[in-house]
Amino acid sequence: MLATLELTRREYFSAGVARGSRAMVSPNYVGQMPAPSRLLIDGPNVLHASREWAVLLRRDKDAARRRLQESAQIVRDGTDWQVTLVFDGRGTDLTIERPDGDDTFVVIHTSSGMTGDDVIERLVGGSAAPARCRVVSGDRAIQSTVRALGAEAMTPADFLAWLEQLAVQGARRINRQSMATEGVWRKA
């Protein structure tokens, strides 16, 4: 299991840079140092922090996880962040999924004997650049641990606000593109 986590750490942090320079941050983080390149999300913690997702989680765990995954992909698509979404215990082996086939968005399911917090701590602790990591969790213990390791901590509430901000920005961008396309069509 440790070898898998070590390999994952190398994959994630070997580049040491974000995909570009246009990183967006939550209003609570504006004016701070440049955005870290890796966002690590404590999936269960964020699901329980959202009233809507918590209700869905009680009805259909897989559907709630998919909704969070889709929302987290907004961060990857709308910013320069690489995103790792971590869920607790799913079977006997740690699994690493790359839904889009690349390392910019990764979903990890821990083995049943390991928690998501354990994986997040190991990824941050094993990072060559922990200051370029931001961890989303409402768990004060994990927040304290990752800060001590040199990473930033973001609350689920700030993360959900950031998602909302990115969705609004995306809608504006689509609206501007649509208006520009319409203008081209009218001129033609």
Side-chain angles (χ1 to χ4, degrees):
M1 182 136 7
L2 260 184
T4 305
L5 289 174
E6 188 64 23
L7 175 64
T8 303
R9 181 194 62 76
R10 269 191 248 114
E11 288 175 0
Y12 291 168
F13 301 108
S14 62
V17 296
R19 290 186 301 173
S21 59
R22 66 181 209 302
M24 303 295 298
V25 295
S26 163
N28 295 345
Y29 291 90
V30 172
Q32 293 186 6
M33 67 180 170
S37 61
R38 175 63 60 181
L39 183 68
L40 299 150
I41 302 170
D42 180 348
N45 194 277
V46 173
L47 286 172
H48 287 287
S50 162
R51 189 169 295 165
E52 177 185 339
W53 288 342
V55 169
L56 181 58
L57 185 64
R58 285 189 290 275
R59 285 193 330 247
D60 187 344
K61 186 177 184 177
D62 290 334
R65 286 179 171 187
R66 278 192 305 276
R67 287 283 292 281
L68 176 55
Q69 181 175 328
E70 291 165 1
S71 296
Q73 284 177 304
I74 291 170
V75 174
R76 192 277 314 267
D77 295 342
T79 69
D80 293 330
W81 291 76
Q82 297 177 355
V83 177
T84 301
L85 182 55
V86 181
F87 291 108
D88 291 327
R90 183 187 206 191
T92 58
D93 295 321
L94 180 138
T95 62
I96 300 169
E97 301 168 6
R98 293 174 179 82
D100 299 330
D102 63 30
D103 289 337
T104 62
F105 190 83
V106 177
V107 179
I108 297 175
H109 295 272
T110 70
S111 64
S112 55
M114 179 178 254
T115 68
D117 293 351
D118 295 335
V119 171
I120 290 170
E121 288 174 15
R122 289 181 185 188
L123 289 171
V124 171
S127 170
R132 296 185 60 83
C133 298
R134 181 175 291 161
V135 175
V136 179
S137 180
D139 182 322
R140 290 188 182 144
I142 190 73
Q143 289 176 349
S144 177
T145 299
V146 300
R147 283 185 182 121
L149 292 168
E152 292 181 36
M154 179 184 235
T155 66
D158 284 341
F159 175 69
L160 295 170
W162 187 23
L163 285 175
E164 199 170 306
Q165 176 188 21
L166 289 170
V168 168
Q169 290 171 349
R172 287 182 184 148
R173 186 173 33 254
I174 289 169
N175 191 30
R176 282 192 306 270
Q177 290 170 343
S178 177
M179 290 172 60
T181 302
E182 184 177 319
V184 169
W185 280 97
R186 285 187 179 174
K187 290 180 183 178

